[in-house]
Structure formats: C-alpha cells, structure tokens
Amino acid sequence: MTQDLPPRSTAALDAAIEHQRAGRLAEAERLYAEILRRDTGNLRAAHELGIVQLGLGRADAAEASFARALQIAPNHVNALVNRGTALKALNRLDEAESCYRAAIGLDPRNRIAVRNLGILLNLVERHAESLAAADEALARDRHAEGLIMRGDALYGLGRFEEALESYREAAKLSAEPYETLIKTAIARAALRQYTEALALLDQAVALRPADQLAYYQRAAIRLLTCDFEGGWRDFEYRWRNELFIATSSAAVSPQVRERLDLRQGIDDVRGAKVLLVAEQGIGDQVMFASMIPDLAAAAASVATVCDPRLLRLFSNSFEGVGFFDPNGASLPRAAFDKVIAMGSLGHIFRNRLNDFPGAPYLRPSAEVRERWAARLGPRPTGLRIGLSWRGGTLATGAGQRSLALADFAPLLDLPDCEFVSLQYGDPSAEVQAVNADLQQPIRIFPPTDIDDFEELAGLIANLDVVVSVQTSVVHLTGALGTECLILVPYNPIWRYTAHASTMPWYRSAQIHRQAEPGAWASVIARVAEDLKARVRSPART
C-alpha cells in the first residue's frame, strides 16, 4: 500500500507529473500505471492516470481510472467531475449526469461541475432543466460559468435575446473573454446580427490566434452569409475541433486524419491521384458530392470513401470514380498523391456564388426508378408529395428544426393529392395516428426499403414535389433535381444561407423561413398556398 513504498512512489509520481505537463502522455500513462501496480491505493496516480487517458482519447480507460480513484476516495469531487466527462464521451449520459450532480451535491459552488452539467443537459435538449439548474447555481454564487450555462439553455429554448443578455453578463464576470466573445457572437448570429457576430469572432481570433474554436464558428457565419472564400478558409480549422472530430468524421480514421491535405488549391489536385474521404452526416456527403465532377475533371484519378448507404447511388451517378465502404475499404495511403476530406472541396471549387452550378448531379438507375414507379402505381390527378418533418440529432439542434407530422395538417387536405412519407427511422405510429383523420392516408414504406439512398432516390424521382425540414432528404431531392419546399427555422444551419429564397447548391430547392423563432404556423401556411398554386397551375392540366 501507499505507506510501504513512499520514497519510490513519490519519485515515480514526480516523474509522471513532469511527463504529463510536458505533453508526453504515453510515458506519463506508463509511469502512473506502474505506480498503481506497486501502490494500489495511490489516489493521485489513479486520478491523474484518468486525465492522461482522456488526453489520449481513451475514454473507456479513463472512466475505469476515475472509478478506481472514487473507490479510494468516494467523495473526491474532481474525480466525480472527470468521470462524468469520460462517461459523456462514451455516450453513457445518464451516468455522466449522476456524476455531475453528485459533485455539485458535495460542492454546490463547483463551477466546472455546474458548467459540465449544463453542457450535458443542453446536448440532450433538456433545456428547461438546464435553465433551472443554472438558476439554482446562480442563486448560490453568481459566476460566469453559471451565466454561460443559463445562456446556453435559453439559446436552446430559442430565447435568443435573453441568451445574449446572459452571455453579456458572463463577460463582465469572466477573467478570460475568449469563450464569452464566442458565445455572444453565436447569440448575435441567431438574432441575424451577422456583422456584429463576425466582429466579435474577429476579436476572439486576435485574442487566441492559435485556437481553432473562433475560426470554426466564424466559418459557419461566413458560409451562412455567402462569404464562401472566407468561410471555406476558416472551415479548414474543423480538423482541430474535438467536438467536430468526435461527431462528424466517422469515415475519417485517426490514421487518415493525420494524412489529410488541407488548404489545397486547384493546382494541388490537377493531375493528382486523390483519395476523397466522406465527412459529417449523409446529407452533407450528398451536398459535397456535387463537387466530385469538378475534382474528377482536374485529377488524374479519384477514389472516394463514403457512407455505405450512398455507394450504389454514387457509383451510378459518377462515371470513372471509385467508391468504397469505410468499414471495408483497404486503400493504402501510398497509392495516392492527395488525401482530401469532402468538405475541403469547397475551398477549391466553390469560392463565389456563381461557382455553384445548382444543376442535378445524382441519378438512380433506370431499373430502380421504374420499379418504384410500378410500386407507387398510377399518379393522382393532383400532386404526389413527399414529406419529411424531423431532422437532425440532439447534437445538431433537432428540436429547433423539427415538427410533428400533425403540424402538417394544413397541407394534408389538398384535393386529389397523394402524400408519401420520406421520414427516416420508423414513423409508422405517428403516420397511423394522423391517417386516422385523413380521407387520403399518407403512404409509408418499411424503413429497410428506403435506407439505401439509391432506393430513396428512386422513390423521390417519382414524386412531383417534396416538403421537408432541414434534413438529408433536402439534399437528396435537390441533387436529383426534384422540386423541394424547405421549412427553415429562424436561425438556420449555414447550408441554407441567411436570407435567400433558394439554396446555391440546388436550383430546385425553395426556402420558406420562420419570421420569428418557433413560428412554424405561418411557414406551413405559405407552403400550403404554394402547393395549392401548383395544383391549380395550367401545367398540371
């Protein structure tokens, strides 16, 4: 135990701490583990080992180390907080929440525990609970961390003005303005105050020019406001953003990520053998794929790793380009001159608005399209309309961009029209509930029938128009050239731009925007009028 070998343990501990502070994490890990083999009750070694393992990206090992520290000292507040962080990284969110709450119970003024609890609750869109927890913490001790937590909760609730005020107050109490500058900028952007938001992010960049976060947030606002050249330049900083890497790069292994060629120009890819690697969600992969023809025209060869659900559709749409499943692809780096992530193509090919052709670029095979035509049967005398009403994940603001199918009621009584669900997942219970009140029920197909995007494309290609919230259905519909009416929240994702009624990526997409946060009724009413006009159009007769 600790008392048996104090001199040796102390010397080893000092050496491990020195390695840790110098960033030599693998050596520090080895030494801490060796200390614990000889001195099983060494609290400092167990706790620091967990911190090192978090730094190495090994959340499972870190969680075990923090749990070991808590066996030694059950009321160790920092171990509770850090174990919560490891559990959060492992997506064991209920356990992470319990750790943060236990830490706050032991030390109600622990600002890190308060902040982390707020981040977790807002991540899972429990914004009202996060607001209540923030108010409770601020009643005990008014500090910047609690005010930021409160601002994040208000932001998640769509109460952007109040969020801005909370961030402003946090800035007054914070000794370090970097985070509050970024938070204030995000709130101003949500209020469509883009010039002010960019000025704040410029200040943050000047304050910490080596830190990626302000660049990454500035990229989103620049792209949103169609400053594509500046936006794509900042967008390259995403590969230094840990949250982006954890949530948006499933097809980009750490080994590939180390070899990504960033900030490439047209001269860098001309005549090169390029490995193109998918990133972000499947809708983003569809959107970025619009630049594959540009790359193929410049490069000597292109091999693309993409989501397995896109392999058939992409292979049929882009001649001369190889497509591979990231789970089974064996593509040696030495076979390629360049390794480029899909999102980096914008920096090469889409720096001005007139660089976007907007033309269709995906096509399902004739066999797939004809099979879906036969399955759907004779067309109605009115329109055949596809519907998608939920989009995103908890981490990408699903609550602000999604509706219930019942909210589409003003659309569903259009005479002589047929509606088809394009909603991902299994929405059958929701569809059946709405169908109970409809004369013409919404058609729905088993999820397995449309999980592959060539099958979904074959279905969409047989529709007259699609009505969708911000989701991958929009990108697929636009890429096929099918008309799409998009319901966009007051604070849109950058892909949908800040003000325009169309998307630069797709000519066939038309945007209907909220006039104020949360106000969907007027948007749905405008979409209903648009559909009615299409039904009445002479082109339909």
Side-chain angles (χ1 to χ4, degrees):
M1 299 300 290
T2 304
Q3 63 270 27
D4 296 330
L5 297 167
R8 187 176 179 186
S9 292
T10 299
L13 191 62
D14 289 342
I17 292 169
E18 183 178 348
H19 283 301
Q20 183 179 354
R21 288 173 176 168
R24 298 186 293 270
L25 300 187
E27 184 63 17
E29 181 184 31
R30 185 188 67 77
L31 286 174
Y32 284 132
E34 177 62 29
I35 291 167
L36 288 166
R37 278 193 287 273
R38 301 193 319 268
D39 186 1
T40 57
N42 194 308
L43 175 62
R44 178 74 182 274
H47 184 252
E48 294 301 323
L49 176 59
I51 293 174
V52 166
Q53 289 165 333
L54 275 181
L56 290 168
R58 295 174 51 211
D60 51 350
E63 189 278 325
S65 295
F66 294 130
R68 180 173 183 171
L70 288 166
Q71 286 181 333
I72 300 167
N75 292 336
H76 193 292
V77 172
N78 288 342
L80 280 166
V81 173
N82 288 322
R83 183 170 181 246
T85 299
L87 288 164
K88 178 173 171 285
L90 294 168
N91 205 35
R92 291 161 59 182
L93 302 184
D94 290 343
E95 295 172 82
E97 179 182 349
S98 295
C99 283
Y100 295 144
R101 290 193 183 278
I104 293 169
L106 290 166
D107 180 7
R109 296 179 183 273
N110 188 296
R111 298 180 179 186
I112 297 174
V114 168
R115 185 79 178 89
N116 286 358
L117 176 62
I119 291 170
L120 187 150
L121 292 174
N122 286 313
L123 175 67
V124 295
E125 297 198 335
R126 290 162 57 189
H127 304 301
E129 291 179 58
S130 180
L131 181 59
D135 287 339
E136 183 179 345
L138 290 167
R140 292 189 296 265
D141 181 14
R142 205 151 188 87
H143 49 73
E145 292 82 359
L147 287 161
I148 291 172
M149 176 182 177
R150 188 172 193 276
D152 291 349
L154 291 164
Y155 184 95
L157 292 166
R159 293 159 59 180
F160 303 131
E161 290 278 9
E162 294 173 81
L164 179 59
E165 288 304 314
S166 192
Y167 294 143
R168 281 172 170 165
E169 188 177 351
K172 295 175 184 177
L173 298 178
S174 177
E176 173 50 71
Y178 184 74
E179 183 180 12
T180 54
L181 281 170
I182 293 172
K183 291 289 185 179
T184 305
I186 292 170
R188 284 197 174 275
L191 291 165
R192 302 180 181 177
Q193 298 171 9
Y194 303 118
T195 301
E196 295 87 345
L198 287 169
L200 290 165
L201 290 170
D202 289 344
Q203 291 179 46
V205 167
L207 193 65
R208 290 193 195 173
D211 194 287
Q212 51 73 35
L213 185 58
Y215 293 99
Y216 183 59
Q217 295 296 340
R218 191 172 67 178
I221 299 175
R222 283 178 162 176
L223 293 170
L224 183 69
T225 55
C226 297
D227 172 13
F228 294 108
E229 186 173 10
W232 294 129
R233 187 169 58 247
D234 284 346
F235 196 57
E236 294 294 82
Y237 284 88
R238 69 197 183 280
W239 295 110
R240 300 185 195 175
N241 185 292
E242 292 180 4
L243 180 60
F244 175 88
I245 291 169
T247 60
S248 304
S249 58
V252 187
S253 68
Q255 295 76 19
V256 171
R257 193 162 62 246
E258 290 174 2
R259 293 168 172 79
L260 285 175
D261 293 297
L262 303 177
R263 300 187 182 281
Q264 299 296 287
I266 185 63
D267 291 338
D268 297 300
V269 299
R270 190 174 282 120
K273 293 180 288 186
V274 177
L275 175 62
L276 186 64
V277 186
E279 60 174 280
Q280 304 181 61
I282 194 165
D284 294 290
Q285 294 178 43
V286 170
M287 182 180 76
F288 292 137
S290 63
M291 297 178 280
I292 289 178
D294 301 80
L295 179 62
S301 64
V302 178
T304 303
V305 177
C306 65
D307 190 292
R309 293 169 291 175
L310 293 168
L311 288 172
R312 287 171 49 200
L313 180 60
F314 280 7
S315 296
N316 192 68
S317 301
F318 302 112
E319 295 182 5
V321 177
F323 293 93
F324 302 90
D325 183 339
N327 300 314
S330 179
L331 299 168
R333 170 66 177 89
F336 302 96
D337 304 312
K338 299 289 180 181
V339 178
I340 298 177
M342 271 191 172
S344 294
L345 295 179
H347 183 64
I348 305 173
F349 298 113
R350 298 289 185 269
N351 287 300
R352 292 164 296 279
L353 196 58
N354 59 10
D355 289 340
F356 292 78
Y361 54 92
L362 294 184
R363 59 179 183 273
S365 69
E367 184 273 329
V368 169
R369 181 169 179 155
E370 290 165 7
R371 174 158 43 79
W372 274 103
R375 189 168 180 181
L376 287 165
R379 285 185 173 273
T381 56
L383 299 170
R384 180 174 277 158
I385 303 167
L387 299 175
S388 181
W389 56 94
R390 288 197 305 273
T393 64
L394 292 175
T396 59
Q400 289 186 27
R401 59 199 271 201
S402 299
L403 294 89
L405 178 57
D407 293 331
F408 279 179
L411 317 179
L412 302 177
D413 60 356
L414 283 172
D416 304 317
C417 290
E418 180 180 75
F419 292 91
V420 180
S421 170
L422 304 175
Q423 185 57 51
Y424 65 82
D426 183 6
S428 55
E430 193 174 3
V431 172
Q432 289 168 11
V434 170
N435 279 347
D437 297 322
L438 297 178
Q439 290 186 343
Q440 177 68 36
I442 298 166
R443 298 185 67 175
I444 185 170
F445 297 97
T448 52
D449 289 6
I450 56 175
D451 277 348
D452 186 281
F453 264 49
E454 186 174 32
E455 296 298 327
L456 183 57
L459 171 56
I460 291 173
N462 281 282
L463 304 177
D464 294 302
V465 63
V466 168
V467 176
S468 178
V469 298
Q470 294 177 156
T471 189
S472 59
V473 165
V474 168
H475 298 288
L476 182 57
T477 303
L480 294 167
T482 300
E483 297 289 326
C484 187
L485 307 181
I486 316 166
L487 288 74
V488 171
Y490 185 85
N491 180 32
I493 300 169
W494 64 262
R495 297 148 187 84
Y496 297 83
T497 73
H499 305 293
S501 60
T502 58
M503 291 180 71
W505 304 91
Y506 320 110
R507 289 189 204 131
S508 63
Q510 180 179 335
I511 295 174
H512 292 269
R513 300 180 185 273
Q514 284 184 343
E516 57 186 55
W520 284 120
S522 59
V523 177
I524 293 168
R526 292 199 304 273
V527 171
E529 288 303 314
D530 186 310
L531 293 174
K532 289 175 184 175
R534 290 167 185 262
V535 172
R536 294 192 299 264
S537 170
R540 299 290 309 164
T541 61

